[in-house]
Amino acid sequence: RKEVEQDPGPFNVPEGATVAFNCTYSNSASQSFFWYRQDCRKEPKLLMSVYSSGNEDGRFTAQLNRASQYISLLIRDSKLSDSATYLCVVFRDDKIIFGKGTRLHILP
Amino acid sequence: EPEVTQTPSHQVTQMGQEVILRCVPISNHLYFYWYRQILGQKVEFLVSFYNNEISEKSEIFDDQFSVERPDGSNFTLKIRSTKLEDSAMYFCASSWEDTYEQYFGPGTRLTVT
C-alpha cells in the first residue's frame, strides 16, 4: 500500500461548483499534513496546512481525521484559475512524502 | 515577498558528467530540501539539510549525490556522474522549521543525454 494515496482524477468540474479531494495515509505516526497545488511544469505551491480542528482559507477548507488517517480539501465556488494538480503532503519522522496528486480541470 | 531562487532553469549535460544545481533559500529559513520530479510522476524527496548537515535522505540519494551550503546563502546539489535516468525537474525548498510549510523554488530542469 502506498504511504500517501490520492485519486489521480482528472476531475472535470464546471465553474462555480464545489469539489472535494481526499487523501489517505498509511502510517499513523505521521505528524504534519499539507495541501499543495502544482500547475503544469511549475513548482508546488503551498495551499494550506491541515489541522485536526479543520481550517478554512477563503473558498478552501481542509480537514484531518487522524482516526481514519484521512485528509480532505474542499474548494467552493470553483474558478477557472483553480485548474491545477492538488498534492497531499505528509511529514513523518523527518520524511516528507508527496501523494501523486489529483488533477482538477474547471470547465467554463 | 521573499522567494526561493534556483539556477540554472535548464541544464543539459552528457551522461557521466558532473552537474551542480544551485539554490538560494529564503534568507531566514533554517531547513533546506531537494526534491526531484520525473516528468509525469510524483514529487520525490531527496534530502533535507539543517545546521550544516544532512538530517534525512531518501533511498534515491545515493553516493552520486551530495549537498553543500558553501556560504550563508547558497545551497547546492551535486550529481557526480549523471545517468540518463537522472533527467528530471529538481526543486529546492526551504522552511523555518522542519515540519513547517515549505516554499519551493521554480526548479531546474536537468536533461541528461
Side-chain angles (χ1 to χ4, degrees):
Chain A
R1 185 183 168 189
K2 293 194 183 89
E3 181 140 12
V4 177
E5 291 211 61
Q6 295 183 251
D7 183 336
F11 288 18
N12 296 309
V13 171
E15 196 175 4
T18 295
V19 60
F21 302 126
N22 302 321
C23 170
T24 56
Y25 59 96
S26 60
N27 195 310
S28 59
S30 300
Q31 298 156 283
S32 303
F33 309 89
F34 303 92
W35 283 102
Y36 281 75
R37 70 170 275 168
Q38 187 174 29
D39 295 287
C40 191
R41 295 180 181 264
K42 298 280 191 186
E43 73 273 25
K45 283 192 172 30
L46 178 68
L47 190 60
M48 56 201 305
S49 306
V50 189
Y51 306 117
S52 297
S53 52
N55 47 310
E56 192 172 306
D57 183 3
R59 299 182 293 111
F60 299 84
T61 301
Q63 202 83 36
L64 166 64
N65 184 323
R66 283 193 185 269
S68 304
Q69 294 177 201
Y70 170 95
I71 304 153
S72 64
L73 177 69
L74 189 78
I75 306 176
R76 286 180 297 281
D77 187 25
S78 51
K79 314 268 182 227
L80 294 175
S81 56
D82 294 333
S83 297
T85 297
Y86 288 82
L87 309 173
C88 175
V89 179
V90 171
F91 272 74
R92 176 183 61 78
D93 299 330
D94 292 334
K95 288 185 170 42
I96 303 115
I97 304 115
F98 277 74
K100 202 163 177 195
T102 301
R103 290 182 62 191
L104 174 66
H105 297 303
I106 304 297
L107 308 171
Chain B
E1 187 181 311
E3 57 183 23
V4 177
T5 59
Q6 288 186 245
T7 53
S9 56
H10 190 192
Q11 172 92 48
V12 181
T13 191
Q14 288 191 324
M15 200 166 53
Q17 295 296 304
E18 175 182 286
V19 293
I20 297 176
L21 310 183
R22 292 186 164 80
C23 169
V24 178
I26 293 172
S27 62
N28 63 344
H29 283 184
L30 301 176
Y31 293 82
F32 314 113
Y33 310 85
W34 282 103
Y35 295 86
R36 79 170 186 192
Q37 187 174 31
I38 295 168
L39 190 63
Q41 297 190 25
K42 67 175 187 174
V43 176
E44 297 174 292
F45 168 71
L46 291 177
V47 66
S48 58
F49 192 86
Y50 170 70
N51 201 25
N52 282 319
E53 57 184 32
I54 290 173
S55 47
E56 186 66 40
K57 59 184 181 178
S58 71
E59 307 78 38
I60 303 166
F61 194 88
D62 61 23
D63 291 343
Q64 66 162 150
F65 291 94
S66 61
V67 288
E68 207 175 35
R69 188 154 160 83
D71 53 43
S73 57
N74 289 285
F75 179 50
T76 62
L77 174 70
K78 183 191 287 187
I79 310 175
R80 252 179 285 282
S81 176
T82 49
K83 307 188 200 74
L84 294 175
E85 55 265 35
D86 293 328
S87 295
M89 184 73 104
Y90 288 81
F91 293 110
C92 172
S94 68
S95 67
W96 173 243
E97 293 177 18
D98 62 348
T99 56
Y100 204 60
E101 293 104 341
Q102 294 185 17
Y103 293 85
F104 281 72
T108 293
R109 180 169 299 284
L110 177 65
T111 303
V112 183
T113 61

